[in-house]
Every structure is written in C-alpha cells, then in structure tokens.
C-alpha cells in the first residue's frame, strides 16, 4: 500500500516537473519569438509611414511569415514618459529633437544601450553636435532633418526686380512689393498649433538670435514645470515673452506689424495648410511659411512655381537654423533593433531621404530633389540645428495647444 502511494507521489512530481518544463519552454519560445517594438512619438503620419516601410526592410522575421517589427504610435498629447507607460515595451523610439528626446536619451544612457561615436562618422559636424554624445556614447542617433522654410514664388521674385533675399529686410521688401498682386502677400498656417508656435520659434532665431531662442525655451519650460492650469500658465508665459524685453518680442512685433501693413492677412491665425495650398495653387500669395515636411504634403500644382529658402536674419549673427532632427533612440539592448538603427543611420540614408522627402543626416547620401539637398547644405554650413520650438519647450501637444491659443489671443 505504501509502495503504491510512493509511486503515485513520484508520478505526480514527475508530471508537475514535466508541466513546469513545458510552460518554461513556451515562455522561452515566446521571449525568443517576440517581435522587437518600434515606437513613433510626435512624428507626422506621412513621415512615420515612410520610415516604417524602410524599417521593416532592415530585419527578417523567422520564416518570413510577418513583418519583423511591431509598431506603435505613442500618444503625443501626453509627455513621453507618460506615453511610454501605456505600452508594454519599446526597443527603438523615433522622435524629433527636443525635451522629450532628451528624456528618451537619458533612458538609453541608464540602460547603457547607446552606440559608439563611429555611427556618426559620415555625418556633418553640425549634425554630430545635435546628437549630443553622453559619456562617449550616442544615445540618440540622427536619421533625418526637417526644416522651417519660406517658400517664394519664383515668377513673382523675377518680376520684383530684386536680386537676392539675403536678409530679413529683403524678404519684407519682396513681400511688400507683391501686396498689390496678391490676396495675401505672405501666409502661414496660424490655425495649426504646432505650426504657429514653430513660426514664432524660427522667427526668433532669425530676428533675435539663438540666445533669445534659448531664453524662450527655458522660460516656457520653467512656467509649465510649476504646475497649475495649462491655460493660465500659457497665457502668463506668452504675455511675458511678447513684451518689449521678452524673448519672443521681435517675432511677435514683426507678425503684428506685417498684419497691420497688409503683408499677412488679418485672418492669418485662422489659416490651415489647406488654405495655404489654395493660396499657392491660385497665385493668391507669393510667400508661404512652412516646414519641409509640410512642403511634401502639397500637390505639384501648388508647388510648381515656388522655391524654398531659409529664414533670413538681420545680419551679423551666427545661425542655428530651425531644422528638427529625427532621432532613433535605442531604449533596450535588443540586437535586432540595434542592427536596424545602424542600417538606417549608415547604409539606408538614401532610401530614408527618398521615401520621406526629408534631408538625410549623412553628408553624402542621395536625396530626392534640390529641396532636401539645400536643407542638408544649409544645416552643414551653420551651427548645430535647433529643434522646433514646439518640441524643445513643451512636454506634450496639450501644452503646445495651450500656448498657441495664448499667442492667438494676444493678436485679437
């Protein structure tokens, strides 16, 4: 009887051990078979789709039955740290330069997942500076460069009798010359929160210099860090920054004056990118402020007579063009993700640039057209590019929207 009981105990132990080993095997297989996760934060859907198509070609899923990467789009209405809490695990993050990219880079540093500096070897000095190496490692790898640009109608410029648009005064003279022949001499998408904030940011660097731009970023960050109602914080911060000794004063004063003299339309704060497209297509405006990524969304009918220039300065200042860099940040040591980042940064720059229409980070990679090549050249010929103000000073799209509403209110 005792022998039978012992045998039953042994059988039960063996069965439990076999079950445990089976469960452990399944768990190990699940881990080994887990797709690496790529996340996008604050990047337009169009650019994300183009980048994702290239990313999925950098690895091969076992047996080729599915795409190698799981891809998620993080909620940029939240600060990055909060958005990451809503997903299980992210191996590589694609993000614009700015305060949230700094948060991501700090995480990569903590994980010791950064790359050796050699991954930047084919990039220009200014792009390398944007990467901001930490402890000799590259936690945020530059891949692409966007740019805050001004699109100018070539025919209108030829008819203006002007030879160049080297300084801000030249741009204003050209815009003034085209008032009579335009419904609106110059336009920008003031109804779009990020576009409005970024026009102010780019104008601040051009008119007041990088020190004023840095001061605006620091003051906005400090204001929101104190906490409280976003609308109140944004309203008070905008009022301080737009007053005569404020960091955004020159940009705000120029926008206000251009509205008053009829260069910008009185409803410029209500215009969308659809409106900009209409103005350009029907020759109703000869100057349009936008980004290179905005430029890529417009049809050939709108762009056929336009060429792009950088924001000119008043002269005598060292330039840091507002040219938002898109980084890849390795948040884990996943080998597939690391291999993909290396491929995107070193061997697939041409494909990334062509697919997205943005400028490559690499100095000699192929580009789709003159616009992308010009951006690469302008950034290479200047100091480290600045992020968009919307990404540098604000932790979330909700903060950007609150500040944009405050800017609009100051022009009513």
């Amino acid at each position: 009887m005792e022998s039978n009981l012992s045998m039953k105990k042994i059988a039960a132990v063996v069965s439990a051990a076999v079950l445990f080993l089976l469960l452990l095997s399944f768990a190990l297989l699940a881990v080994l078979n887990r797709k690496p996760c790529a996340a996008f934060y604050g990047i337009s859907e169009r650019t994300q789709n183009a980048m994702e198509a290239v990313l999925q070609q950098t690895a091969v899923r076992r047996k080729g039955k599915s795409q190698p990467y799981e891809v998620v789009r993080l909620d940029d209405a939240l600060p990055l740290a909060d958005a990451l809490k809503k997903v299980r695990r992210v191996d590589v993050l694609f993000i614009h330069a700015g305060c949230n990219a700094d948060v991501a880079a700090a995480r990569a540093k903590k994980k010791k997942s950064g790359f050796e500096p050699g991954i930047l070897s084919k990039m220009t000095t200014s792009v390398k500076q944007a990467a901001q190496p930490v402890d000799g490692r590259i936690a945020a790898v530059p891949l692409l460069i966007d740019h805050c640009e001004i699109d100018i109608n070539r025919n209108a410029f030829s008819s203006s009798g002007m030879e160049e648009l080297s300084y801000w005064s030249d741009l204003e003279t050209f815009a003034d010359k085209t008032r009579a022949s335009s419904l609106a001499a110059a336009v920008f998408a003031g109804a779009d929160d990020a576009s409005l904030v970024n026009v102010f940011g780019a104008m601040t660097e051009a008119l007041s210099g990088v020190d004023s731009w840095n001061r605006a970023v620091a003051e906005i960050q400090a204001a929101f860090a104190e906490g409280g109602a976003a609308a109140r914080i944004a309203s008070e911060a905008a009022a301080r920054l737009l007053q005569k000794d404020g960091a955004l004063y020159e940009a705000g004063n120029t926008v206000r004056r251009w509205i008053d003299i009829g260069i910008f339309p009185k409803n410029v704060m209500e215009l969308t990118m659809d409106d900009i497209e209409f103005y350009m297509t029907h020759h109703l405006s000869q100057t349009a402020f936008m980004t290179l990524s905005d430029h890529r969304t417009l049809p050939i009918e709108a762009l056929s007579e336009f060429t792009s220039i950088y924001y000119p300065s008043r002269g005598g200042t060292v330039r840091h063009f507002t040219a938002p860099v898109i980084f890849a940040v390795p948040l884990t040591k996943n080998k597939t993700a690391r291999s993909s980042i290396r491929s995107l940064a070193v061997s697939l720059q041409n494909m990334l640039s062509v697919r997205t229409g943005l400028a490559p980070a690499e100095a000699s990679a192929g580009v789709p057209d003159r616009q992308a090549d010009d951006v690469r050249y302008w950034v290479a010929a200047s100091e480290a590019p600045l992020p968009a103000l919307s990404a540098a000073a604000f932790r979330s799209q909700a903060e950007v929207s609150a500040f944009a509403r405050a800017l609009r209110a100051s022009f009513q």
Side-chain angles (χ1 to χ4, degrees):
M1 185 71 175
E2 290 181 2
S3 177
N4 289 338
L5 287 174
S6 296
M7 291 298 292
K8 288 181 179 179
K9 287 181 180 179
I10 291 171
V13 170
V14 170
S15 297
V18 170
L19 180 61
F20 173 77
L21 289 172
L22 284 172
L23 291 174
L24 181 62
S25 297
F26 283 126
L28 287 172
L29 283 172
V31 170
L32 292 172
N33 201 40
R34 182 184 72 84
K35 289 185 177 185
C37 178
F40 289 80
Y41 179 88
I43 293 174
S44 72
E45 186 175 352
R46 179 189 177 281
T47 299
Q48 175 182 328
N49 290 341
M51 293 182 68
E52 183 182 335
V54 180
L55 173 68
Q56 298 288 17
Q57 297 180 43
T58 62
V60 177
R61 182 73 172 159
R62 187 178 300 175
K63 298 182 181 180
K65 291 185 177 180
S66 64
Q67 296 278 38
Y69 277 90
E70 174 190 356
V71 177
V72 297
R73 185 171 180 84
L74 300 178
D75 184 3
D76 61 4
L78 302 173
L80 176 66
D82 294 335
L84 284 170
K85 293 176 183 177
K86 294 185 174 293
V87 295
R88 182 169 55 87
R89 175 187 172 110
V90 173
D91 297 296
V92 55
L93 173 69
F94 297 99
I95 186 170
H96 282 290
C99 61
N100 281 302
D102 294 341
V103 169
R107 290 192 174 209
K109 177 187 176 183
K110 187 175 181 181
K111 293 283 187 180
K112 298 182 178 179
S113 57
F115 288 85
E116 69 287 349
I119 198 168
L120 307 179
S121 62
K122 295 183 179 181
M123 300 180 190
T124 63
T125 300
S126 57
V127 173
K128 290 177 182 178
Q129 291 172 343
Q132 299 177 343
V134 178
D135 296 336
R137 306 291 288 179
I138 308 302
V141 180
L143 297 180
L144 293 164
I145 309 169
D146 202 349
H147 181 243
C148 286
E149 66 184 32
I150 303 173
D151 282 36
I152 302 292
N153 187 294
R154 291 188 300 271
N155 293 334
F157 181 72
S158 297
S159 301
S160 71
M162 300 181 66
E163 295 183 359
E164 56 188 7
L165 296 175
S166 300
Y167 300 103
W168 190 267
S169 58
D170 298 328
L171 177 65
E172 182 164 329
T173 298
F174 169 72
D176 190 60
K177 284 175 174 286
T178 62
R179 279 192 303 157
S181 60
S182 308
L183 182 61
V187 291
F188 65 86
D192 179 83
D193 295 335
S195 293
L196 174 60
V197 170
N198 293 336
V199 165
F200 270 71
M203 287 180 69
T204 294
E205 184 279 331
L207 299 175
S208 305
V210 70
D211 289 343
S212 290
W213 185 91
N214 284 328
R215 185 155 62 94
V217 170
E219 291 184 19
I220 292 169
Q221 288 181 341
F224 279 100
E226 292 179 0
R232 176 187 59 78
I233 294 169
S235 179
E236 292 174 357
R240 287 194 303 271
L241 290 163
L242 290 170
Q243 65 188 15
K244 195 158 188 178
D245 60 345
L248 298 183
Y249 172 74
E250 290 295 340
N253 186 55
T254 298
V255 171
R256 191 179 307 279
R257 186 166 55 81
W258 278 26
I259 292 173
D260 290 343
I261 64 177
I263 292 178
F264 283 142
K266 292 188 182 301
N267 68 335
V268 68
M269 299 296 176
E270 302 171 9
L271 299 182
T272 66
M273 275 307 299
D274 287 340
D275 296 320
I276 307 306
E277 176 185 333
F278 184 85
Y279 274 73
M280 294 172 72
T281 301
H282 297 281
H283 314 292
L284 301 176
S285 183
Q286 317 309 324
T287 303
F289 293 67
M290 66 182 71
T291 63
L292 177 59
S293 53
D294 289 332
H295 183 110
R296 297 308 187 193
T297 67
L298 298 177
I300 189 63
E301 293 80 10
L303 297 172
S304 60
E305 295 183 8
F306 283 81
T307 189
S308 55
I309 65 171
Y310 55 78
Y311 279 56
S313 72
R314 286 176 169 162
T317 58
V318 175
R319 299 306 305 272
H320 292 258
F321 293 123
T322 302
V325 174
I326 295 179
F327 290 125
V329 183
L331 295 182
T332 70
K333 293 183 178 180
N334 181 277
K335 291 182 179 179
T336 300
R338 292 177 62 79
S339 176
S340 293
I341 293 173
R342 187 177 298 280
S343 295
L344 294 172
V346 177
S347 59
L348 295 175
Q349 281 283 285
N350 177 30
M351 186 181 296
L352 267 181
S353 179
V354 170
R355 288 290 188 96
T356 62
L358 303 181
E362 185 185 319
S364 59
V367 292
D369 55 20
R370 178 180 172 180
Q371 277 73 31
D373 200 30
D374 280 347
V375 169
R376 176 171 57 184
Y377 173 77
W378 295 331
V379 170
S382 58
E383 297 299 315
L386 297 178
L389 183 60
S390 63
F394 303 92
R395 296 170 302 169
S396 67
Q397 185 58 44
E399 290 183 355
V400 174
S401 295
F403 192 76
R405 288 192 292 271
L407 286 178
R408 292 188 194 99
S410 71
F411 285 85
Q412 292 177 350

